[in-house]
Amino acid sequence: MERKSAMLVAVFAVWGASVFQEVSSAPADDYPYRNVSLSWDVRVEDIVKRLTVEEMQMQMALGGPDGPAPAIPRLGIGAYQWGSECLRGDASAPGFATAFPQALGLAATFDYDLIYRVAEAISVEVRGKHNDFVKEKNFVWHTSASCFSPLINIMRDARWGRNQETYGEDPYLSGSLGTAYIKGLQGTHLRYVRASGCCKHMNVHGGPEDIPVSRFSFNAIVSEEDWRMTHLPAFKTCVDAGTLGLMCSYNRINGVPACANKKLLTDIARNEWGFRGYFTSDQAAVENIIVYHKYFNNSLDTAVACANAGCDLEIAGDLNVLPHPVYFSLVEAVKQGRVTEATLRERVRPLFYTRMRLGEFDPPEMNPYSKLTSAVVETPAHKALAVEAAMKSFVLLKNDGGLPVTGFGTIGVVGPFANTTKIFGDYSPVIPEEDKSTVLQALTPLASKVQFAEGCDEVNKKCATYDSESVIKAVTNTDANFVILGTGIIYEAEFFDRPDMDLPGHQKQLLQDVLAHSGGKPTYLLLFNAGPLNITFAHQEPSVVAILECFFPAQAAAEAIRHVLLNDVPGAVPSGRLPFTWPLLASQLPPMVDYSMKRRTYRYFEGEPLYPFGYGLSYTTFEYSNLTHSQSITAGESLSLSFHLKNSGKVDADEVVQVYIGWRDTSLPAPKIQLARFTRVTIEAGQQVIVKLEVEAKIMGLWINDGWFIKPGMMDVFVGGQQPNQKRMAGSNVLSSSFTITDMKYLGRY
């Protein structure tokens, strides 16, 4: 979601003091919507039928920084602010919050349970702060209990600036982790949700930000096959998980703006999937239909199109661009008969249902989440979870015996990311100064003497200047050297695509100077980035003994790095796996604006990558054996798998088990291969366990013509710690087998 508005503190006065009026509870006590013995639907219907057209307009128009949605005193309804950013912590809200690793690093854990627990911790903090904000009558932007998270767009291009916010390139992985996030965020209470989720950005939204064109005007041309089989599945899974919200994106889809796209919002999400929640626009996405897409030239036509298409809530942008939210034209649209009152009531219904599920209209003593306060922020348990998440997120890309370490006499530590706290990535919460840490702090205890040089200027200046003399001095006469490189939020983030895969500025020269002047001493490369970087030369260099991908680990960086390098606590053995394909060459990437999936992601990739999707090393090795399963299943049945998994090394560790399937019939519109199941297993050194998994039938489905089908024929199944048939091998084997699907099954148009 875009966050360009900084103008809106004074805007509240525009909508009148009624927004903040005390709610009169006396008359409302008699309304059925206050009767907790009635069903949600009956109570919501009671609210909705009492609203005037003018009130519905205000509820739909003021969903963003120009809000809150105003109080309706005559009905005893208070103000409500929509939209907190909860990607990996309570970002942008006033006050502190725990900063967990950025989403792409969380995806690298391949850990459903961890994502669930992280989302649970985030929602506890979000709800606790929200409760206090409401008591203080503080309704500024980002004080909500409604989260505009998670982001589950597909990471389809290595250069897209928002890759760090995704769960990687695979629809199944993204959908599974999105499910974990939604369930952790919304909670398990049978009546109430702790914080409401909103999966974004729907849809066909994975770049560009600004290269070669603006995201605000971009038209994504996508085939029905790619749309259904790559871009939509994670959102369908999110709906199945019970998300209360979805967010429509900035772009057009085959010519139609997403927030005015009836096929997307109504035909697919509501009619095919059964989505009953609310659709919110991305910030300014509705006004961009006028300003950037020029699809309409006025607010009235735009409001009509978006409301009729199914967009329930407008998040307005900068009121210096348009004088007021586009949805302020809804009253006029009703007067002209272009939007019916019944349609407006349909639009506000899921908004009030969400607020009701949050407990707003029930006695506080009924809702356990109403007792939370800001005291739950940055608890020891949440800080410990941030460390666990960071350790599990690191991906060991190369290890020629350099890791784990035991300590050194003298080390050199160089690079622009060595002594900065700017390793949080985008959408990070604010944390107390005492909780910030640097890589240099993590490495200092590993040696008797540390020789440090930043080499480049501040990371946010992209290493534009370079001091080679200081770097050479720092890595001379050492026992080992640590080079800390990567990108920053100015180089790689929302608003900013990367023009290529190169290391920013002079970072490549810095690493080359280290290798040329360190006398062949071991060099450890630590990377802080999201999208893949061109480090082929470093992987091929013998003196680079280890490469560790750290993503953006946030507040736990120093502690997590130290533990992983030393392997001095349980869970410190690297176990992260790449949630994306790391290309060998930038020439392997199609143009950013080409939305065909051909050559994109491991499912359709051509050629050899530097590191494949699912790749990652460990401090131990694993052996898979004795794979058993049914040789034949009927279309629509799940495939049950059983196999032995042994930790064949000397270190207790986690293994990320990956199951892939492939279609033998190459005439089918199928990917080359598809992740079909994953799990993490903790195994003691020398121990063997039996693992049993199921591949769900729906993962075998293909979009053919106008619906989902499971086709008869032979399929391959692969089980191991990585993709099959890869030249870059991880420390485990891959078992392969096949099975036959009999008959054919139509799964519908889900």
Side-chain angles (χ1 to χ4, degrees):
M1 177 179 176
E2 202 218 346
R3 301 158 302 170
K4 66 183 180 182
S5 300
M7 76 298 178
L8 295 161
V9 175
V11 167
F12 300 120
V14 175
W15 319 131
S18 63
V19 168
F20 301 105
Q21 285 179 3
E22 292 291 337
V23 173
S24 174
S25 60
D29 289 340
D30 296 329
Y31 291 139
Y33 85 83
R34 291 281 187 184
N35 186 342
V36 297
S37 67
L38 298 177
S39 70
W40 296 124
D41 287 345
V42 170
R43 296 175 67 189
V44 170
E45 190 61 35
D46 183 64
I47 291 179
V48 169
K49 74 180 183 182
R50 299 177 188 279
L51 300 177
T52 67
V53 171
E54 289 77 11
E55 287 167 342
M56 289 189 285
Q57 172 181 277
M58 296 294 278
Q59 295 297 312
M60 293 173 62
L62 299 179
D66 52 349
I72 308 175
R74 70 181 185 86
L75 297 178
I77 296 172
Y80 188 74
Q81 176 60 266
W82 291 91
S84 288
E85 294 292 352
C86 317
L87 182 66
R88 40 47 171 279
D90 190 14
S92 304
F96 297 131
T98 307
F100 294 95
Q102 178 59 299
L104 191 61
L106 292 175
T109 69
F110 277 67
D111 192 333
Y112 182 101
D113 175 69
L114 177 70
I115 304 302
Y116 178 93
R117 289 185 288 124
V118 167
E120 186 177 48
I122 292 169
S123 70
V124 165
E125 296 193 1
V126 166
R127 185 55 182 260
K129 293 172 68 175
H130 167 76
N131 289 344
D132 286 353
F133 292 141
V134 172
K135 291 174 186 175
E136 298 161 2
K137 297 182 174 58
N138 181 355
F139 293 99
V140 301
W141 188 218
H142 296 135
T143 59
S144 181
S146 294
C147 290
F148 288 165
S149 307
L151 191 158
I152 54 174
N153 294 116
I154 296 301
M155 180 180 173
R156 53 177 282 279
D157 194 293
R159 299 159 296 194
W160 185 34
R162 301 190 77 170
N163 284 329
Q164 61 177 280
E165 301 175 48
T166 74
Y167 289 142
E169 71 183 27
D170 181 71
Y172 175 74
L173 178 66
S174 297
S176 296
L177 299 184
T179 293
Y181 183 93
I182 289 295
K183 290 185 177 296
L185 191 75
Q186 296 188 169
T188 58
H189 196 276
L190 296 179
R191 183 176 182 86
Y192 302 108
V193 294
R194 187 168 40 231
S196 63
C198 178
C199 294
K200 64 184 186 185
H201 309 85
M202 197 170 166
N203 192 248
V204 198
H205 184 71
E209 291 293 298
D210 66 333
I211 300 175
V213 297
S214 169
R215 62 180 176 165
F216 300 131
S217 60
F218 179 64
N219 181 26
I221 304 298
V222 63
S223 69
E224 192 75 12
E225 179 185 309
D226 284 341
W227 194 6
R228 296 284 186 163
M229 292 179 59
T230 295
H231 299 286
L232 284 173
F235 288 90
K236 169 60 164 61
T237 306
C238 185
V239 169
D240 291 343
T243 185
L244 289 170
L246 294 171
M247 178 182 286
C248 50
S249 52
Y250 287 122
N251 53 289
R252 281 171 285 159
I253 303 170
N254 296 332
V256 183
C259 293
N261 197 311
K262 181 178 178 293
K263 176 179 178 179
L264 176 66
L265 278 57
T266 296
D267 297 345
I268 293 176
R270 290 195 168 98
N271 295 342
E272 293 182 20
W273 298 352
F275 176 58
R276 295 187 62 202
Y278 69 91
F279 260 106
T280 179
S281 76
D282 203 341
Q283 188 174 342
V286 170
E287 68 195 51
N288 287 352
I289 293 173
I290 304 169
V291 177
Y292 288 94
H293 292 295
K294 303 188 185 304
Y295 193 77
F296 298 110
N297 62 8
N298 62 83
S299 290
L300 179 61
D301 288 343
T302 305
V304 168
C306 292
N308 285 334
C311 184
D312 304 289
L313 187 67
E314 178 184 1
I315 307 298
D318 191 338
L319 297 187
N320 292 317
V321 176
L322 292 179
H324 52 68
V326 171
Y327 271 12
F328 269 28
S329 295
L330 286 173
V331 170
E332 181 61 28
V334 172
K335 288 179 180 178
Q336 294 186 17
R338 300 178 64 188
V339 176
T340 66
E341 284 193 33
T343 295
L344 289 195
R345 296 191 197 284
E346 280 297 311
R347 297 284 78 83
V348 298
R349 186 172 283 108
L351 300 178
F352 281 100
Y353 175 75
T354 299
R355 293 171 64 173
M356 197 163 280
R357 290 296 308 278
L358 287 164
E360 181 179 344
F361 306 118
D362 286 6
E365 59 270 17
M366 290 184 63
N367 183 356
Y369 303 136
S370 67
K371 300 177 178 64
L372 295 171
T373 71
S374 298
V376 298
V377 169
E378 284 268 69
T379 62
H382 289 180
K383 291 181 181 181
L385 182 59
V387 174
E388 178 191 350
M391 290 194 300
K392 286 184 173 180
S393 73
F394 299 157
V395 180
L396 186 58
L397 300 175
K398 178 181 180 180
N399 188 22
D400 290 346
L403 294 177
V405 301
T406 56
F408 304 96
T410 300
I411 60 172
V413 179
V414 297
F417 281 87
N419 195 32
T420 179
T421 59
K422 295 178 180 178
I423 47 179
F424 282 64
D426 212 357
Y427 283 97
S428 175
V430 176
I431 66 169
E433 284 298 318
E434 60 267 23
D435 287 339
K436 295 181 180 179
S437 60
T438 70
V439 181
L440 183 61
Q441 290 172 320
L443 298 177
T444 297
L446 304 184
S448 302
K449 180 181 179 182
V450 176
Q451 299 176 178
F452 166 68
E454 190 175 55
C456 298
D457 56 3
E458 181 57 48
V459 292
N460 281 348
K461 296 180 181 177
K462 305 180 185 180
C463 197
T465 60
Y466 174 56
D467 178 9
S468 61
E469 184 177 338
S470 67
V471 169
I472 293 171
K473 181 179 179 181
V475 300
T476 301
N477 298 321
T478 59
D479 298 309
N481 296 304
F482 290 81
V483 182
I484 321 299
L485 305 178
T487 60
I489 60 172
I490 298 300
Y491 191 77
E492 180 181 26
E494 184 175 6
F495 306 109
F496 304 107
D497 294 317
R498 293 186 296 153
D500 48 46
M501 288 172 46
D502 293 342
L503 286 162
H506 292 278
Q507 289 190 28
K508 181 177 181 180
Q509 183 183 349
L510 185 155
L511 179 54
Q512 289 174 329
D513 281 348
V514 172
L515 298 176
H517 294 89
S518 60
K521 294 297 176 62
T523 296
Y524 298 80
L525 177 59
L526 276 60
L527 297 173
F528 295 85
N529 59 292
L533 297 166
N534 185 357
I535 57 166
T536 303
F537 74 100
H539 189 95
Q540 295 171 343
E541 171 59 47
S543 61
V544 177
V545 296
I547 303 176
L548 188 67
E549 172 57 69
C550 302
F551 302 103
F552 295 117
Q555 72 181 62
E559 187 173 353
I561 289 169
R562 184 171 64 253
H563 287 320
V564 168
L565 295 182
L566 291 169
N567 187 27
D568 60 350
V569 298
V573 174
S575 56
R577 302 293 183 261
L578 285 179
F580 56 81
T581 301
W582 194 304
L584 179 68
L585 302 168
S587 60
Q588 292 174 311
L589 301 175
M592 173 80 84
V593 295
D594 180 358
Y595 261 80
S596 168
M597 289 308 297
K598 184 179 180 181
R599 296 169 54 197
R600 291 195 185 278
T601 76
Y602 78 95
R603 299 164 73 230
Y604 303 98
F605 196 76
E606 297 176 3
E608 290 295 329
L610 177 60
Y611 306 113
F613 172 90
Y615 173 81
L617 301 174
S618 175
Y619 292 160
T620 188
T621 56
F622 297 93
E623 293 179 2
Y624 291 78
S625 62
N626 298 327
L627 173 62
T628 61
H629 58 83
S630 298
Q631 297 303 302
S632 177
I633 62 172
T634 302
E637 284 187 86
S638 297
L639 179 70
S640 298
L641 304 172
S642 177
F643 52 91
H644 292 177
L645 175 58
K646 181 179 181 180
N647 182 340
S648 52
K650 299 180 180 180
V651 180
D652 300 349
D654 285 3
E655 168 70 331
V656 173
V657 176
Q658 301 167 50
V659 179
Y660 295 86
I661 57 174
W663 290 258
R664 287 281 182 92
D665 185 351
T666 57
S667 68
L668 293 173
K672 295 178 180 180
I673 198 170
Q674 172 65 53
L675 180 69
R677 191 65 192 268
F678 64 90
T679 190
R680 288 178 68 105
V681 183
T682 302
I683 313 178
E684 296 179 2
Q687 297 298 304
Q688 179 174 280
V689 298
I690 297 176
V691 181
K692 295 183 179 181
L693 297 172
E694 277 200 352
V695 176
E696 292 183 274
K698 66 180 180 180
I699 201 71
M700 307 173 203
L702 300 171
W703 182 267
I704 301 175
N705 296 326
D706 201 31
W708 287 94
F709 292 86
I710 298 177
K711 301 283 284 185
M714 183 168 285
M715 295 196 68
D716 294 314
V717 59
F718 307 94
V719 178
Q722 62 185 74
Q723 272 190 70
N725 307 315
Q726 298 298 312
K727 290 184 178 180
R728 181 83 63 203
M729 295 296 293
S732 63
N733 60 315
V734 177
L735 304 176
S736 62
S737 187
S738 61
F739 63 98
T740 300
I741 299 176
T742 60
D743 301 325
M744 180 174 72
K745 186 175 181 64
Y746 174 59
L747 300 176
R749 288 177 54 84
Y750 65 82

